[in-house]
Amino acid sequence: MFEIKRLSSATVEIMRSSDLAQYTQNDYITFDVQLLVNPVLYQTVSKIDHMLTKFKLNVDNVSELETKSSISPNVIVGGTAWNVFVQKIHGHLDIFLSQINSVMNMNWSWMVKCSFTLLSFDKHVQPVKLCMEKDFTLGLANWGFNEFISWNSFIDPALKYVENGEAIFQINLEVDLPKPLWKFDEKPTKSTECPICLQDLQSPAATKCGHLFCNACIRKSVDQHKKCPNSNAVATLDDIRPIFL
């Protein structure tokens, strides 16, 4: 029996193997395939098995944070994929939550609550904990803290946040069910407006802290003020990245 397997464990009978020869030429078979896709762009509630998760980011070589990020494994929460990354920038340890991918289009958003906790290897030392709550969209690459802890405090031997070159972060992540920013037959809401000019986004671009602006608006602002107008994070023109909607 000649069969095609679906994405599930079920199979679909096409024809018997004995009848296959009449459709074969030079050991090749050609299929004309039509694919119908369900227009619903998000998973149903029944398919989202959890909305809250806890995981750890183990940094095995703290010295490498001065040149590259340490990134957690991807976790699936609320039907979407996320990770956390940390890196040393401008004398501080920065930490951010990042959305990896999604079947959603730009119309959808998720309300996210996340806490980042830097653990000490000394149980008598208070951990460092900061919390954020943010409405994520596909245009928002990441969100977190540019100055989670000063680098000197982070590597201070007395605080023991680092031991044998290792540091441990505990992440609590809660993701609400996705919701539409606007109905498909309506004009987009202010969620699609540039925070600087308050007009519809033109040639969208994002800062490294994840905020979205018109490309011309954010370049002019960063050139003048050297920071993101939303988060006050230090920014340069080289940090600005185009976003393709």
Side-chain angles (χ1 to χ4, degrees):
M1 187 72 68
F2 183 71
E3 301 173 334
I4 291 181
K5 182 175 287 188
R6 302 187 190 195
L7 293 179
S8 66
S9 59
T11 57
V12 180
E13 178 181 335
I14 302 297
M15 68 179 66
R16 294 187 177 277
S17 300
S18 58
D19 299 328
L20 187 60
Q22 59 183 313
Y23 298 97
T24 304
Q25 184 175 14
N26 298 326
D27 290 330
Y28 285 93
I29 304 173
T30 301
F31 289 92
D32 182 7
V33 180
Q34 292 184 346
L35 178 63
L36 298 179
V37 180
N38 191 321
V40 177
L41 299 177
Y42 61 94
Q43 299 186 54
T44 62
V45 176
S46 62
K47 292 183 179 180
I48 298 178
D49 55 358
H50 65 288
M51 309 301 295
L52 174 65
T53 192
K54 299 179 181 180
F55 62 96
K56 287 184 178 180
L57 167 57
N58 286 58
V59 180
D60 298 323
N61 193 338
V62 167
S63 62
E64 292 184 353
L65 293 179
E66 300 193 42
T67 57
K68 66 178 183 179
S69 300
S70 180
I71 305 175
S72 73
N74 293 356
V75 295
I76 305 297
V77 189
T80 54
W82 309 82
N83 67 22
V84 169
F85 62 95
V86 296
Q87 185 174 353
K88 178 187 177 183
I89 301 178
H90 302 304
H92 288 83
L93 187 72
D94 297 358
I95 188 166
F96 294 97
L97 173 69
S98 179
Q99 185 183 70
I100 306 306
N101 55 56
S102 175
V103 295
M104 303 286 186
N105 65 9
M106 288 298 298
N107 184 44
W108 299 93
S109 68
W110 304 257
M111 178 55 67
V112 175
K113 298 177 183 178
C114 186
S115 66
F116 308 96
T117 304
L118 171 61
L119 304 177
S120 173
F121 289 91
D122 184 345
K123 64 180 181 180
H124 300 295
V125 175
Q126 191 74 11
V128 178
K129 180 177 181 179
L130 291 178
C131 302
M132 54 161 269
E133 182 173 341
K134 183 64 182 176
D135 200 9
F136 270 76
T137 68
L138 292 190
L140 179 63
N142 55 68
W143 189 269
F145 298 96
N146 288 94
E147 300 180 357
F148 181 77
I149 184 174
S150 72
W151 185 257
N152 289 337
S153 296
F154 176 55
I155 63 174
D156 186 347
L159 298 176
K160 289 192 174 181
Y161 293 124
V162 179
E163 185 170 270
N164 297 324
E166 180 184 5
I168 300 176
F169 296 83
Q170 174 72 52
I171 316 299
N172 287 15
L173 177 60
E174 181 179 354
V175 181
D176 285 351
L177 287 173
K179 60 182 182 295
L181 296 176
W182 65 86
K183 294 181 180 179
F184 290 99
D185 57 350
E186 290 182 352
K187 180 181 177 180
T189 66
K190 290 187 177 181
S191 298
T192 62
E193 290 182 354
C194 171
I196 297 176
C197 68
L198 302 181
Q199 302 298 316
D200 287 344
L201 288 168
Q202 300 295 319
S203 301
T207 56
K208 67 178 181 179
C209 50
H211 295 102
L212 203 61
F213 307 88
C214 295
N215 186 53
C217 292
I218 188 57
R219 285 189 171 278
K220 181 178 180 180
S221 177
V222 167
D223 188 45
Q224 293 177 348
H225 304 291
K226 313 301 181 186
K227 63 182 181 180
C228 171
N230 272 23
S231 66
N232 290 323
V234 176
T236 67
L237 293 177
D238 290 338
D239 296 327
I240 299 171
R241 294 290 182 268
I243 300 295
F244 301 98
L245 305 180

